[in-house]
Amino acid sequence: MEKVLRIGIIGAGGISTHCHMPAYQKMNNVKIVAICDIKPEKAKLFAESFSIPAIYEDYKEMIAKEELDAVDICTPNYLHSVMAVDALNSGLHVMCEKPDAVSVEEAVKMKEASEKNGKVLMVMRNNRFMNVSTFAKKFIDAGKMGEIYASRCGWQRRRGIPGKGGWFTTKAQSGGGPLIDLGVHMIDLTMWLMGNPKPVSVSGCTYSKFANNDVSDSVNSSFGEKKADGTFDVEDLAMGFIRFENGACMQIEFSWASNIAKERRFFELRGTKAGARWDSLDDKNLYIFTEEFGSTVDYCPKTAGKNPQHHEANLRHFVDVVLNGAEPVFLPDQGIDMIKILNAIYKSAETGKEVIL
């Protein structure tokens, strides 16, 4: 008989409704047995929509009363580490939305709780599961790019501030603006393709210029709950530079609002044998730049053209790791390095100086 993973979801917001639950519904080896949200009406609607038998307002009560194997945390950022540590200490595996935590200390607590209790801790890194990503990783691991010594990445929006006035734009709850919201995705993907080099220093600048602007041209601005009289004390643009222990470097740019042509995500890699570029504005194709027989050559692998449901792929991977002992593609140490980078960029922006990690 096939093993089944019993999961309780914490948070009935947009990411769990539109990304996590549709993925779990496709899996025969997963049973969602409970939903928890501090707003009972949201939990009730979620449960009715997905035929979930149990509803809770308190995640600790859900953990205590339900026979769970794991929890999936889909809450505001500042709660990620608290809930993850509680669940791990209760003997449960944890899948958590990004970012890992809002401070390095909290990210370390998550790793320590995972190790102490012998439970899987995985934080969402869905962009690693795009076809372009998996193809590029195989290409790189085969040595075809040589030494990757420089990179660029970003996620730029023209007008796409999520949940303005709500937790997204309240630093105490989110940890920051587009740097921590979008930066996790593309910095992680680019570092993963580079072999996860150790960051040693960062410098950065942040700006908040659109707090009083309500224009929107992005579907992403529909995420979160807006509050007309709420808080906006985070950045809407962050730019920075990361140095790594192996001598490599990375330029970054992330915005919720900026006067650019169009919203785009991208990464670029510079290697001694070849370079690579992926840009969401360029048909989502992967391009490889190299040379053959004395001439420069550009490749566009057709197998990398279409992207799978990569949230689903990441969640399937989590289930495979827990049930079958698959080797995890994400390790908590990578999450700690990520939060070190993000927090240090904010510190650099405040002080005007490079920050040594």
Side-chain angles (χ1 to χ4, degrees), residues 43 72 80 128 130-131 135 193 343:
D72 184 348
H80 289 180
R128 296 187 186 189
M130 296 190 298
N131 279 342
F135 184 95
L193 292 172
N343 283 1

Short mmCIF file of all heavy atoms in Angstrom, two decimals, residues 43 72 80 128 130-131 135 193 343:
data_model
loop_
_atom_site.label_atom_id
_atom_site.label_comp_id
_atom_site.label_asym_id
_atom_site.label_seq_id
_atom_site.Cartn_x
_atom_site.Cartn_y
_atom_site.Cartn_z
N ALA A 43 -10.65 30.30 6.62
CA ALA A 43 -10.41 28.87 6.78
C ALA A 43 -11.62 28.05 6.35
O ALA A 43 -11.49 27.01 5.70
CB ALA A 43 -10.06 28.56 8.23
N ASP A 72 2.44 22.66 6.20
CA ASP A 72 2.84 23.53 5.10
C ASP A 72 2.50 24.95 5.53
O ASP A 72 1.32 25.28 5.72
CB ASP A 72 2.07 23.13 3.83
CG ASP A 72 2.51 23.92 2.60
OD1 ASP A 72 3.24 24.91 2.76
OD2 ASP A 72 2.11 23.55 1.49
N HIS A 80 7.01 32.60 9.82
CA HIS A 80 7.58 31.38 9.25
C HIS A 80 8.43 30.61 10.25
O HIS A 80 8.24 29.42 10.48
CB HIS A 80 8.41 31.70 8.01
CG HIS A 80 7.61 32.13 6.84
ND1 HIS A 80 8.18 32.46 5.62
CD2 HIS A 80 6.27 32.27 6.67
CE1 HIS A 80 7.22 32.79 4.77
NE2 HIS A 80 6.07 32.70 5.39
N ARG A 128 13.86 26.76 -9.00
CA ARG A 128 14.85 25.73 -9.33
C ARG A 128 14.24 24.61 -10.18
O ARG A 128 14.97 23.85 -10.82
CB ARG A 128 15.43 25.11 -8.05
CG ARG A 128 16.21 26.05 -7.16
CD ARG A 128 16.85 25.26 -6.03
NE ARG A 128 17.51 26.11 -5.05
CZ ARG A 128 18.28 25.66 -4.06
NH1 ARG A 128 18.48 24.35 -3.94
NH2 ARG A 128 18.83 26.49 -3.20
N MET A 130 11.96 25.03 -12.72
CA MET A 130 11.59 25.36 -14.09
C MET A 130 12.44 24.54 -15.05
O MET A 130 13.58 24.17 -14.74
CB MET A 130 11.83 26.85 -14.36
CG MET A 130 10.98 27.80 -13.56
SD MET A 130 11.10 29.52 -14.16
CE MET A 130 12.86 29.87 -13.90
N ASN A 131 11.91 24.24 -16.23
CA ASN A 131 12.69 23.50 -17.22
C ASN A 131 13.98 24.21 -17.58
O ASN A 131 15.02 23.57 -17.77
CB ASN A 131 11.86 23.27 -18.48
CG ASN A 131 10.91 22.10 -18.34
OD1 ASN A 131 11.07 21.25 -17.47
ND2 ASN A 131 9.91 22.03 -19.20
N PHE A 135 17.59 22.35 -17.01
CA PHE A 135 18.48 22.16 -18.16
C PHE A 135 19.81 22.89 -17.93
O PHE A 135 20.89 22.33 -18.15
CB PHE A 135 17.83 22.67 -19.44
CG PHE A 135 18.66 22.43 -20.68
CD1 PHE A 135 18.45 21.31 -21.46
CD2 PHE A 135 19.67 23.32 -21.05
CE1 PHE A 135 19.23 21.08 -22.59
CE2 PHE A 135 20.45 23.09 -22.17
CZ PHE A 135 20.22 21.97 -22.95
N LEU A 193 22.58 27.74 -9.52
CA LEU A 193 23.21 27.42 -10.81
C LEU A 193 24.73 27.60 -10.72
O LEU A 193 25.48 26.88 -11.40
CB LEU A 193 22.64 28.31 -11.91
CG LEU A 193 21.17 28.05 -12.28
CD1 LEU A 193 20.67 29.13 -13.24
CD2 LEU A 193 21.00 26.66 -12.89
N ASN A 343 19.56 40.58 4.65
CA ASN A 343 19.69 41.49 5.79
C ASN A 343 20.89 42.41 5.66
O ASN A 343 20.84 43.59 6.04
CB ASN A 343 19.76 40.71 7.09
CG ASN A 343 18.40 40.18 7.54
OD1 ASN A 343 17.40 40.37 6.86
ND2 ASN A 343 18.37 39.51 8.67
#
